[in-house]
Amino acid sequence: MRTDADLAGAFKDGDDRAFAILYDRYKRSLYVFALKMLSEADAANDIVQDVFLRVYEKRRQLDYPERFRSWVFAIARNRCLSHLRQSRKRVPLDEAPDEAITVAASADGIEAEEDLRLIRLALAELKIEYREVLVLREYQDLSYREIAEITETTESAVKSKIFKARRALHETLKPAFAGRR
Amino acid sequence: MSCEETQEQVSLLIDAELEEPHQVALFRHLEGCCECRLFFDSMLRFSKAAKRDLEEIRLVADDILPLHGPLPVSVRAAGDGANSLPMHPSGLTGRRSHRRASEDAVGALPDRRSGWGWKRWTGLLAGGWRMPAPVAIGLALVLLVAGALVGTRISTIAGGGGPMGRDGRVVKPTVVVVCSLPEVQVLGSASRL
Ligand SMILES: [Zn+2]
């Protein structure tokens, strides 16, 4: 199997088939990332298409093909943040749904299903700067170094942010988890 | 070691970033501290559920996302296996959800993608008829009335009885309106997609 670096290099030199393979390889991961960032399936789908459109257009700017993954996630992250800024203009923050706590408090049922539902809600409640690093770490399995590249910060800042994100998540999940231990 | 430091190390441990010498002290603290054990347990449960969440979303993604990305048609046709896929009238290949397919059929918003044939054949409708939902509904009503008037006129010309159905009953000539109405309504809502 050709490596990302190999494909990205070929794509940069004009090989559209390499682009098609990269799309197939990354579309799901980027969709997961966008969905977790935005909590909107349609928007996540559009972001994936938009990201690959930009990837195609900006291929000549891909200076380090071996860092394709960071590069493509950085583009996705920027698109998501831009989408969230636009959404915030349309929907005042005080109208944002606040269901995680109430749902969590009344949670019962099959444990795994409930855990899944609870973590989805809790994650959606997190501040965006926490959510993005946690999603990149827990869902995408990216290293601190890659997350630092994507979020344009340092590894130690990523480490600290992931910890703070987990603490915030724990505070949200604690009542529900404690009730079902 | 404080609880704050312990939990920081728990976070590193989960990410496989905690060196072994630190792990001994960490587990010693965990043995005697309920609060930190709760944190550890919570985070493990989160990680486990996140893995399931990931798998579920990836399955859905396969169903939702276009098989091929925003590529020129020529590339898709020549690409890896794309030539064996049925071509959608819009120029897109591969599986698509019913919702997306219907969007293509009635015309989604024209955007930068249309330059590569993305939903291109519907571009005229979508580009020319893009309007907010209230305007669309208003236009639909106007068409409805116009259709009814035309229908009445046809009925009169045809002899007052109106066109007859197979079973002999009068068929109201509203077919023009029936066709127009959903198009305009969907286009109206497409502006929000
Ligand atoms: Zn402690």
Side-chain angles (χ1 to χ4, degrees), chain A residues 24-165:
Chain A
D24 190 54
R25 198 173 279 184
Y26 278 97
K27 63 180 181 183
R28 295 168 203 84
S29 301
L30 290 171
Y31 178 77
V32 171
F33 175 67
L35 184 65
K36 289 286 124 187
M37 288 286 280
L38 308 175
S39 302
E40 292 176 53
D42 286 354
N45 189 351
D46 288 344
I47 293 269
V48 174
Q49 304 310 313
D50 195 35
V51 164
F52 276 97
L53 189 63
R54 276 162 195 267
V55 164
Y56 194 90
E57 287 169 350
K58 291 170 176 253
R59 62 191 181 280
R60 305 239 176 271
Q61 295 170 27
L62 177 55
D63 294 329
Y64 303 99
E66 66 279 9
R67 291 190 196 165
F68 179 79
R69 184 158 70 163
S70 301
W71 189 63
V72 79
F73 270 103
I75 295 174
R77 173 190 181 246
N78 288 337
R79 299 305 303 141
C80 287
L81 294 180
S82 160
H83 180 91
L84 286 169
R85 274 193 296 272
Q86 293 298 319
S87 309
R88 228 172 276 146
K89 278 182 197 163
R90 290 198 298 266
V91 185
L93 279 175
D94 57 357
E95 286 179 23
D98 186 22
E99 55 190 338
I101 305 298
T102 48
V103 175
S106 63
D108 61 12
I110 304 166
E111 188 169 321
E113 288 303 317
E114 276 304 302
D115 277 7
L116 187 57
R117 200 172 64 88
L118 290 172
I119 66 133
R120 281 176 174 169
L121 289 171
L123 199 56
E125 290 262 311
L126 277 186
K127 277 163 70 174
I128 191 67
E129 60 173 319
Y130 290 166
R131 191 157 75 227
E132 64 178 8
V133 289
L134 211 50
V135 169
L136 289 170
R137 178 63 219 156
E138 293 273 10
Y139 285 74
Q140 308 296 341
D141 207 23
L142 300 187
S143 67
Y144 288 172
R145 185 185 58 76
E146 284 174 302
I147 298 172
E149 279 175 12
I150 293 164
T151 56
E152 296 174 284
T153 184
T154 61
E155 278 187 55
S156 62
V158 167
K159 199 185 290 186
S160 158
K161 214 176 263 185
I162 288 179
F163 167 57
K164 286 177 183 165

Side-chain angles (χ1 to χ4, degrees), chain A residues 16-17 19-21 23-24 27-29 31-32 35-36 42 45-46 48-50 52-54 56-57 111-113 115-116 119-120 123 134 137-139 144 159 162-163 166-167 169-170 173-174 177 180-181, chain B residues 3-4 7-8 11-12 14-15 17 35 38-39 41-43 45-47 49-54 56-58 60-62 64-72 75 78-80 99-100 112-113 116 118 193:
Chain A
D16 284 334
R17 287 184 187 219
F19 176 74
I21 298 170
Y23 170 76
D24 190 54
K27 63 180 181 183
R28 295 168 203 84
S29 301
Y31 178 77
V32 171
L35 184 65
K36 289 286 124 187
D42 286 354
N45 189 351
D46 288 344
V48 174
Q49 304 310 313
D50 195 35
F52 276 97
L53 189 63
R54 276 162 195 267
Y56 194 90
E57 287 169 350
E111 188 169 321
E113 288 303 317
D115 277 7
L116 187 57
I119 66 133
R120 281 176 174 169
L123 199 56
L134 211 50
R137 178 63 219 156
E138 293 273 10
Y139 285 74
Y144 288 172
K159 199 185 290 186
I162 288 179
F163 167 57
R166 286 190 167 123
R167 284 276 290 242
L169 197 66
H170 176 54
L173 290 171
K174 198 158 60 174
F177 277 2
R180 299 172 42 243
R181 218 170 283 278
Chain B
C3 289
E4 172 90 4
Q7 292 179 16
E8 208 166 344
S11 183
L12 293 173
I14 290 169
D15 293 336
E17 296 278 349
E35 190 59 36
L38 272 180
F39 177 74
D41 180 51
S42 252
M43 291 308 100
R45 278 171 79 168
F46 171 76
S47 285
K51 297 289 171 283
R52 278 198 56 210
D53 195 19
L54 173 69
E56 286 194 11
I57 299 170
R58 284 177 70 93
V60 173
D62 268 340
I64 290 176
L65 295 168
L67 199 58
H68 295 271
L71 286 166
V75 176
D80 53 336
R99 190 189 62 76
R100 286 280 161 186
R112 297 157 67 230
R113 290 173 288 200
W116 281 348
W118 188 276
L193 292 173

Side-chain angles (χ1 to χ4, degrees), chain B residues 128-166:
Chain B
W129 293 66
R130 198 166 149 191
M131 64 189 76
V135 177
I137 291 166
L139 186 58
L141 286 172
V142 169
L143 287 171
L144 189 68
V145 173
L149 287 174
V150 170
T152 310
R153 180 75 181 139
I154 291 170
S155 302
T156 310
I157 292 167
M164 303 294 278
R166 276 187 200 167

Side-chain angles (χ1 to χ4, degrees), chain B residues 1-7 29-30 32-37:
Chain B
M1 194 161 60
S2 70
C3 289
E4 172 90 4
E5 286 169 326
T6 302
Q7 292 179 16
H29 181 105
L30 287 175
C33 181
C34 182
E35 190 59 36
C36 288
R37 274 207 310 276

Side-chain angles (χ1 to χ4, degrees), chain B residues 129 136-152 154 172-186:
Chain B
W129 293 66
I137 291 166
L139 186 58
L141 286 172
V142 169
L143 287 171
L144 189 68
V145 173
L149 287 174
V150 170
T152 310
I154 291 170
K172 289 188 178 176
T174 52
V175 65
V176 175
V177 179
V178 171
C179 291
S180 315
L181 193 58
E183 275 184 18
V184 175
Q185 283 177 326
V186 175

